[in-house]
Amino acid sequence: MKKIIISILCLVLFLFPVTVSANEPESEQSNSQPLLMVTDFSVDTGSITAGKNSKISVTLTNKHKTEEIKNIKVTFSAPDGSILPIKLDSVHIDSVEPQKTYVWNFGITTSETAASGNHSVTISMQYETKSGQVLSSSDNITLNVIGKEIKEE
């Protein structure tokens, strides 16, 4: 009886081979959605001084392995309003290839009364896939502000 069961199992395995692959299955690759995210940022002066202008660079990366993203709108916002862009608060990017980056350079200014310490700002991104699906993501970054000294008289 054991020989018959083993023979049937061998015949089934021979007729229907099983393939094992270390690569990600195609169905998972095609179902995954592109992700645009902030992967780095820098301030030209290291810290931001209240009442002064600075330049900031934000690196955005398309983390998808195979799919380009396009028609990208990126927006800078600070909830407390103490850090503002010098010109526009957003930029349009035509596209970012898979695993590639885009660096957004822009000027910011801080209010004279900005408190010393870390200030969280948000980089929001809206973009399209090759099929036209609209996706969005956002990342927070922390900027260090040095407040002005108050002179006592």
Side-chain angles (χ1 to χ4, degrees):
M1 185 68 177
K2 285 183 182 179
K3 287 184 180 181
I4 293 174
I5 293 174
I6 292 173
S7 297
I8 292 172
L9 284 174
C10 289
L11 182 62
V12 169
L13 288 174
F14 179 74
L15 292 175
F16 304 102
V18 176
T19 304
V20 177
S21 173
N23 295 331
E24 188 176 326
E26 280 186 39
S27 61
E28 286 183 28
Q29 286 181 1
S30 62
N31 290 337
S32 68
Q33 295 180 333
L35 174 64
L36 183 64
M37 63 185 297
V38 174
T39 53
D40 195 18
F41 73 93
S42 63
V43 177
D44 65 342
T45 55
S47 292
I48 301 165
T49 302
K52 302 279 184 175
N53 295 344
S54 297
K55 291 182 183 173
I56 187 169
S57 295
V58 176
T59 303
L60 308 169
T61 303
N62 176 358
K63 301 300 275 184
H64 201 272
K65 293 180 182 178
T66 60
E67 190 172 334
E68 172 188 43
I69 55 177
K70 59 184 180 177
N71 198 25
I72 305 158
K73 180 182 179 184
V74 184
T75 305
F76 172 95
S77 62
D80 67 2
S82 62
I83 302 172
L84 299 170
I86 291 176
K87 291 187 179 180
L88 298 175
D89 66 348
S90 61
V91 65
H92 176 266
I93 305 164
D94 288 331
S95 64
V96 177
E97 296 288 329
Q99 299 291 304
K100 299 294 182 188
T101 61
Y102 177 88
V103 179
W104 181 26
N105 297 300
F106 58 99
I108 57 174
T109 189
T110 55
S111 70
E112 296 270 341
T113 58
S116 289
N118 292 330
H119 292 253
S120 181
V121 299
T122 302
I123 306 295
S124 302
M125 299 149 283
Q126 184 176 13
Y127 48 95
E128 295 177 7
T129 65
K130 65 182 175 185
S131 65
Q133 181 182 15
V134 177
L135 300 173
S136 62
S137 62
S138 64
D139 289 302
N140 292 326
I141 60 176
T142 302
L143 301 175
N144 185 29
V145 174
I146 300 170
K148 288 191 171 187
E149 292 182 27
I150 300 172
K151 296 180 182 179
E152 294 185 26
E153 293 185 34

